[in-house]
Amino acid sequence: MDFEKLTELIIELEVDDIEAAVKEALEVDGKEPFDILNALTKGMDEVGRRYEEKEYYLTELVLAGETMKEAFKVLQPALAASDQSQDKIKIILATVKGDNHDIGKNILGSLLLSSGFELFDLGMDVDENVIVDKVRETGAHIVALSSLLTMTVEQIKAVHEALIAAGLRDSVKLIVGGAPLNMELAQKLGADLFADDAVSGVKVIKEAFGI
Ligand code: B12
C-alpha cells in the first residue's frame, strides 16, 4: 500500500476501502502512522482545493469527512501510541446547547484530525459548563463551536462568559461557525475567530498559531 494510493483513496472518496488500506499500510507494510497521516492529509488538501474551485460540492465534502473518519478508526490508536503526538495543539469541538446539527462539525473535526491537531469532540447539544470542565481538564488551546440555529447562537456568548467566570478565557481561542453566523456576529458573541466553512476554519486556526 503506497502513499500515493492512500492519497488517491481520499480524493476518490473511497469510504468502503480506506480502513482496510490504512490497516494494510500499518500492519503489513509497517509504515509510520505520521507518514500515513501526511498521505491522507494530502488527499484532504486536494478535496478542499476541489471544493474551493467548485469541482466538488458539499456531498463530496461530507463523504470525504466520512472517509477520513473510517481511516482514523485504525490510524488514531497508532498515532496516540507514537511519540510525535505529544505537544500538539489541543482543540475542543462541540455543537452548542440546544442544537442537534453535527454534520458540519464532524467535517471540521475530521479535517482538524487530518491536519494533526489533537481533538476532543464533545458531540452536539453541549452545555457550556461541560466545555469549561473539558478546557480545564485538557489545557486545550482552542474551543471550536458550531451553531446552525438562529435561536442557539446566543449559546456562544454563554460559553464565552462561562470561560471568563472560570478564569480560563485568556488561555483559549474561541472559533465559531455555522450558517447563521458571520464575523461581526461572532465577535459580538465573544468569539475570537470565525470561518464560513470547515476548510477555511482549519486555515484560520493554523494562521492564528503561525502554522
Ligand atoms: C440536516 C439538517 C437537520 C438534521 C440534522 C442532522 C445532523 N445530525 O446534523 C435534523 C433533521 C436533525 C435537523 C433538525 C432541525 N433543524 Co435542521 N437542517 C438540516 C439542514 C438540511 C442541513 C444542515 C447540514 O448538515 N448542512 C451540511 C453541513 C456540511 O453544513 P453546515 O452544518 O452549515 O457546516 C458547514 C459550515 O457551516 C461550517 N461550520 C459548521 N460548524 C462550524 C464550526 C466551526 C468552528 C467552523 C470554523 C465552521 C463550521 O463548516 C461546515 C462545512 O464546511 C439545514 C439546511 C441547510 N441547507 O443548511 C437545516 C436547518 C439548519 N435546520 C433548521 C431547523 C429549523 C431545524 C429544526 C428546528 C426543525 C424542527 N422544526 O424540528 C430541528 C432542530 C433540532 C435541533 N434541536 O437542533 C433550519 C435553521 C433555521 C435557523 N436559522 O434557525 C435550517 C437552516 C433549515 C431551514 N432553512 O429552515 N436539521
Side-chain angles (χ1 to χ4, degrees), residues 106-143:
N106 292 343
I107 294 174
L108 177 66
S110 42
L111 290 180
L112 289 170
L113 278 174
S114 71
S115 298
F117 293 100
E118 190 171 347
L119 190 69
F120 301 90
D121 187 343
L122 303 183
M124 50 193 180
D125 188 16
V126 183
D127 188 272
E128 62 269 27
N129 295 313
V130 174
I131 294 170
V132 167
D133 287 349
K134 199 72 185 175
V135 170
R136 198 179 287 118
E137 177 199 325
T138 59
H141 307 86
I142 297 176
V143 172

Side-chain angles (χ1 to χ4, degrees), residues 51 58-59 61-62 92-108 111-112 124-125 142-152 174-181 193-202 204-205:
Y51 176 72
L58 213 51
T59 321
L61 205 56
V62 172
I92 291 174
L93 178 63
T95 300
V96 296
K97 186 160 72 184
D99 191 335
N100 285 327
H101 294 84
D102 70 350
I103 298 171
K105 171 187 76 62
N106 292 343
I107 294 174
L108 177 66
L111 290 180
L112 289 170
M124 50 193 180
D125 188 16
I142 297 176
V143 172
L145 298 177
S146 183
S147 174
L148 268 278
L149 297 171
T150 307
M151 69 181 185
T152 60
L174 185 56
I175 179 166
V176 297
L181 292 161
L193 306 165
F194 162 81
D196 266 328
D197 58 44
V199 174
S200 36
V202 175
V204 164
I205 290 174

Side-chain angles (χ1 to χ4, degrees), residues 21-141:
V22 172
K23 205 165 184 216
E24 185 186 321
L26 277 170
E27 292 173 7
V28 179
D29 307 329
K31 298 247 198 298
E32 285 296 326
F34 268 80
D35 294 337
I36 295 173
L37 178 63
N38 279 340
L40 299 174
T41 307
K42 240 195 218 171
M44 280 310 266
D45 286 347
E46 174 61 16
V47 169
R49 192 197 65 75
R50 290 186 187 189
Y51 176 72
E52 282 173 355
E53 299 293 320
K54 300 202 166 27
E55 290 166 36
Y56 273 3
Y57 294 93
L58 213 51
T59 321
E60 283 82 9
L61 205 56
V62 172
L63 203 50
E66 290 299 315
T67 311
M68 282 301 288
K69 218 191 261 175
E70 288 300 309
F72 267 94
K73 280 188 189 162
V74 270
L75 190 59
Q76 189 77 36
L79 284 171
S82 146
D83 281 343
Q84 296 173 69
S85 65
Q86 306 284 319
D87 297 332
K88 277 203 295 191
I89 292 176
K90 295 176 187 170
I91 303 182
I92 291 174
L93 178 63
T95 300
V96 296
K97 186 160 72 184
D99 191 335
N100 285 327
H101 294 84
D102 70 350
I103 298 171
K105 171 187 76 62
N106 292 343
I107 294 174
L108 177 66
S110 42
L111 290 180
L112 289 170
L113 278 174
S114 71
S115 298
F117 293 100
E118 190 171 347
L119 190 69
F120 301 90
D121 187 343
L122 303 183
M124 50 193 180
D125 188 16
V126 183
D127 188 272
E128 62 269 27
N129 295 313
V130 174
I131 294 170
V132 167
D133 287 349
K134 199 72 185 175
V135 170
R136 198 179 287 118
E137 177 199 325
T138 59
H141 307 86

